Amino acid sequence: MPEIWVKPERMPRHVAIIMDGNGRWAKKRGLPRALGHRAGVEAMRAIIRESSDLGVEVLSLYAFSTENWKRSTEEVGVLMGLLLEFCGREVENLYRNNVRIRILGDVERMPEPQRTALKNAMERTASRTGLQLNFAINYGGRDELRRAAQKLCEQALSGALRAEEVTEETLRQALDTAGQPDVDLVIRTSGEERMSNFLPFQTAYAELQFPKILWPDFGINEYHAALDDFAARDRRFGGRSEK
Ligand code: FPP
C-alpha cells in the first residue's frame, strides 16, 4: 500500500484519463503500433492498481471511442484482441482487489466475443465495493447524451416521468455513470489539449491536466505529480474562492 500523502479532502474522488500517445511511443522506438498499445495496457494496469491503493473512488479510462472504428482494420483488431486478453487475464484479479468494472458506452453494439466478455466482467464484479473502474469502450459523449435522452423519452411515454420532472438529476441518473460523482480531474497524456467527446456532462467543472508524456511512459511518479498538482488547485465551481 502506498503512503497517502495528499489530504483526503484534496484527493479527487473521480479521475478520468484519456490515454493518448501509444502510437507515437511505438514510432519513436521503430516498433509496430500494436506494441505501443500493448505497452499502454501495462501502464493502464499500474494506474488501476495505484488508484485502488490510494482510495480513489472512480477511475474512468478512455479505451476506445466511437470514432476509433475508423482506424485500420488491423489496428482495430489489435485493440479488440487486447481487450479480450485484458478481460481474460485481469477480471479475477480485479475482483479479488474489490474493484467493480463498469462499461461506459454502447456495449450492445460491440462485436462478439468482446460484448460477452465485457458483460461478464461487469456481472462478475458487480458486488465489489472498492474502486469503481469505468472503461469507456465504444464510447462517445454525445452518443451517451443521446442514449440518456432516449431513456427519458421512453419513461415519459410510459407515463413514469413528466416533462417538468426532467431535472439535472434525472438526466445524471440516465447517464452511463449513474450513481457516481462528477469527474474532478481529467488527465490527457501526450500533450494534446482536447476533450475528444469524453464525459462532456460529467467533466463540466473538472480540473484539466495535459502532461507532455506519452501514455506508456505515464507511471506512478507521474500520477502522483498529477495528484499533487490537483491538490494545490483552488476549485470554485463558479462560486468564490474557499481560500
Ligand atoms: C491512443 O493512442 C490510445 C488509444 C486509441 C487506445 C487506448 C488504449 C489502451 C491504452 C490500451 C487498450 C486497452 C484496452 C483494454 C482496449 P494513439 O494510438 O491515438 O496514439 P497516437 O496518437 O500517438 O497515434
Side-chain angles (χ1 to χ4, degrees), residues 35 70 88 98 122 168 184 191 201 225 233 243:
L35 289 188
K70 294 183 208 148
N98 203 21
M122 281 194 279
E168 272 190 26
D184 298 303
F201 183 96
R233 291 192 186 196
K243 278 187 184 163

Side-chain angles (χ1 to χ4, degrees), residues 19-24 33 37 40-41 44 63 71 79 83 215:
M19 307 180 286
D20 201 1
N22 296 343
R24 277 163 283 171
R33 289 178 67 80
H37 291 311
V41 174
M44 186 175 88
R71 295 194 176 197
L79 288 165
L83 181 58
W215 173 250

Side-chain angles (χ1 to χ4, degrees), residues 19-25 33 36-38 40-41 44 62-65 68 71 75 79-80 82-84 86 135 137 190 192 214-215:
M19 307 180 286
D20 201 1
N22 296 343
R24 277 163 283 171
W25 183 91
R33 289 178 67 80
H37 291 311
R38 192 167 277 284
V41 174
M44 186 175 88
Y62 208 176
F64 195 89
S65 76
N68 286 152
R71 295 194 176 197
E75 187 166 356
L79 288 165
M80 290 299 128
L82 285 171
L83 181 58
L84 269 192
F86 182 86
F135 274 119
I137 293 178
S190 91
E192 305 289 340
L214 302 173
W215 173 250

Side-chain angles (χ1 to χ4, degrees), residues 17-26 28-29 36 39-40 43 47 186-193 209-227:
I17 306 185
I18 304 176
M19 307 180 286
D20 201 1
N22 296 343
R24 277 163 283 171
W25 183 91
K28 258 175 58 179
R29 287 165 177 74
I47 296 302
V186 174
I187 301 170
R188 180 177 191 148
T189 55
S190 91
E192 305 289 340
E193 302 191 353
Q209 295 185 12
F210 302 105
K212 288 186 174 44
I213 184 168
L214 302 173
W215 173 250
D217 292 327
F218 189 86
I220 303 301
N221 291 341
E222 288 73 20
Y223 193 28
H224 288 184
L227 295 173

Side-chain angles (χ1 to χ4, degrees), residues 4-13 54-55 57 184 230-231:
I4 298 171
W5 71 103
V6 177
K7 284 195 202 140
E9 68 275 16
R10 289 268 168 187
M11 271 291 281
R13 294 178 67 194
L54 289 172
E57 280 176 51
D184 298 303
F230 174 83

